[in-house]
Amino acid sequence: MDDYKFDEAKFFELASESSKLAENVSKKLTIELKADKYIVKQDSFVKFLHCLHEAEEIDGVLEVGVPILAKEGYPSRMLVRDTVKDHIEDTLKHLDRGKRVVHYGTPGYGKSMTGVLVVKKKMGKKLIVIQQGKTWYFVPKDFPGTCVVKSMFPETMKAYAIAQAGASGGETRPIFHLIDPQGHHTVPVIVFGGIAEQLATVSPNTLLLNDKLRSWEKQYGRPIRKVEPHWENEDMKKCYEKCYKSLFALDEYEKRLHFWGNNPRNVFDEMLSV
């Protein structure tokens, strides 16, 4: 990776070519950069992003149509709680003021889902960079008019994002960067200084054990920390009735709720038995 040279001209040439190609395949494409090879291919996460862009919230439920975050077993719809709407609006205000924000809380409470909702708010307004574990996605500002670009090289992502920021002017803060480490292991964390709005969604253990995230906080100043809102009994019941009623009978839901408590990931995961 240290020897990898980023050919910016070639990169944008490929991005343009794949954008045209994407029009013919429902725009579910990525460009993947490995060493000196540029590979155009279909990608389930890109498909999810396009569905997210087109999804509408009806009666408090966002129907995406494909598994959220393109993860097998994840639901295709999510309950958008009123407390989370307030949580997101407050986060957006901090981001707009140039603050870095960390959403943390109990695993299974929906931190990644909240990050997804923030991404939806930013689509069409910002260049979006998404880090899912060790994989990086770029969502162009004119998304979904162009394809999404994917790279396994953080330095390439940094070069691309900075080039885009420079084209728009360093003071316009045109980049939104979502960091979703997906686990406790160390992952590269790129900070763009004054040109990026950054949101990290992590569990307390991830924040404690991930040395890259700790150095991120230490080097660039402690960001705004916000706790993912607790799920009240009313939230759980509403989520069951609007999103999962077809999967569980009421007595099964109540048994799972009693066993797992107010944790939606555990209660509504079909693979977990009680």
Side-chain angles (χ1 to χ4, degrees), residues 106-117:
T106 303
Y109 266 29
K111 298 179 296 297
S112 294
M113 303 292 190
T114 299
V116 162
L117 293 172

Side-chain angles (χ1 to χ4, degrees), residues 2-274:
D2 292 338
D3 297 328
Y4 181 74
K5 301 298 182 184
F6 176 52
D7 184 343
E8 185 175 313
K10 184 67 175 176
F11 182 90
F12 287 110
E13 178 187 337
L14 266 290
S16 176
E17 289 176 5
S18 68
S19 297
K20 296 173 185 176
L21 181 60
E23 295 295 330
N24 299 323
V25 289
S26 301
K27 298 172 287 193
K28 311 300 188 293
L29 292 183
T30 65
I31 306 175
E32 187 168 350
L33 288 75
K34 287 180 178 289
D36 59 347
K37 296 179 180 178
Y38 294 76
I39 305 168
V40 179
K41 65 179 185 179
Q42 296 188 9
D43 186 276
S44 60
F45 191 82
V46 177
K47 181 177 180 180
F48 156 69
L49 287 172
H50 280 276
C51 290
L52 176 67
H53 182 271
E54 296 163 7
E56 295 183 4
E57 182 186 330
I58 300 175
D59 193 25
V61 175
L62 187 69
E63 181 67 65
V64 180
V66 296
I68 293 168
L69 298 173
K71 291 188 176 181
E72 186 177 353
Y74 268 43
S76 61
R77 60 175 61 175
M78 69 172 86
L79 179 71
V80 184
R81 299 180 287 156
D82 289 338
T83 52
V84 167
K85 288 181 180 179
D86 294 340
H87 185 55
I88 289 172
E89 288 304 317
D90 192 48
T91 293
L92 291 170
K93 289 177 183 176
H94 287 303
L95 292 171
D96 288 343
R97 291 198 294 267
K99 300 292 186 181
R100 296 183 178 86
V101 182
V102 173
H103 283 180
Y104 73 105
T106 303
Y109 266 29
K111 298 179 296 297
S112 294
M113 303 292 190
T114 299
V116 162
L117 293 172
V118 175
V119 165
K120 184 168 175 60
K121 292 274 190 180
K122 294 291 184 182
M123 281 179 167
K125 301 175 183 176
K126 301 275 183 178
L127 169 71
I128 299 172
V129 178
I130 301 173
Q131 177 184 347
Q132 277 274 305
K134 294 181 179 179
T135 303
W136 306 79
Y137 291 86
F138 315 119
V139 184
K141 189 175 178 182
D142 54 348
F143 180 89
T146 63
C147 69
V148 173
V149 182
K150 168 186 170 185
S151 172
M152 299 297 287
F153 295 91
E155 286 305 316
T156 303
M157 182 272 288
K158 184 176 182 180
Y160 176 65
I162 288 176
Q164 288 289 304
S168 301
E171 298 304 315
T172 59
R173 308 182 62 82
I175 301 171
F176 169 67
H177 180 199
L178 174 65
I179 304 169
D180 195 13
Q182 297 293 311
H184 301 162
H185 302 296
T186 295
V187 294
V189 174
I190 301 292
V191 177
F192 297 112
I195 61 172
E197 301 173 359
Q198 292 189 295
L199 168 64
T201 59
V202 297
S203 69
N205 280 346
T206 302
L207 204 56
L208 178 66
L209 299 175
N210 192 303
D211 63 334
K212 291 292 186 183
L213 286 171
R214 290 204 311 276
S215 69
W216 178 62
E217 286 199 323
K218 188 179 296 184
Q219 183 176 356
Y220 295 95
R222 187 173 296 278
I224 303 295
R225 287 192 181 184
K226 293 179 63 62
V227 179
E228 191 69 18
H230 178 72
W231 282 73
E232 304 293 343
N233 292 337
E234 183 181 346
D235 295 327
M236 294 296 295
K237 186 67 177 293
K238 190 180 294 185
C239 190
Y240 166 70
E241 291 178 342
K242 292 188 174 186
C243 302
Y244 293 95
K245 198 171 183 177
S246 61
L247 297 181
F248 304 112
L250 180 60
D251 60 342
E252 172 68 10
Y253 158 72
E254 290 175 342
K255 182 169 68 173
R256 297 171 74 89
L257 184 66
H258 177 74
F259 187 84
W260 292 110
N262 289 14
N263 187 307
R265 176 187 294 171
N266 294 344
V267 171
F268 300 121
D269 187 341
E270 294 179 88
M271 301 302 292
L272 293 178
S273 58
V274 296

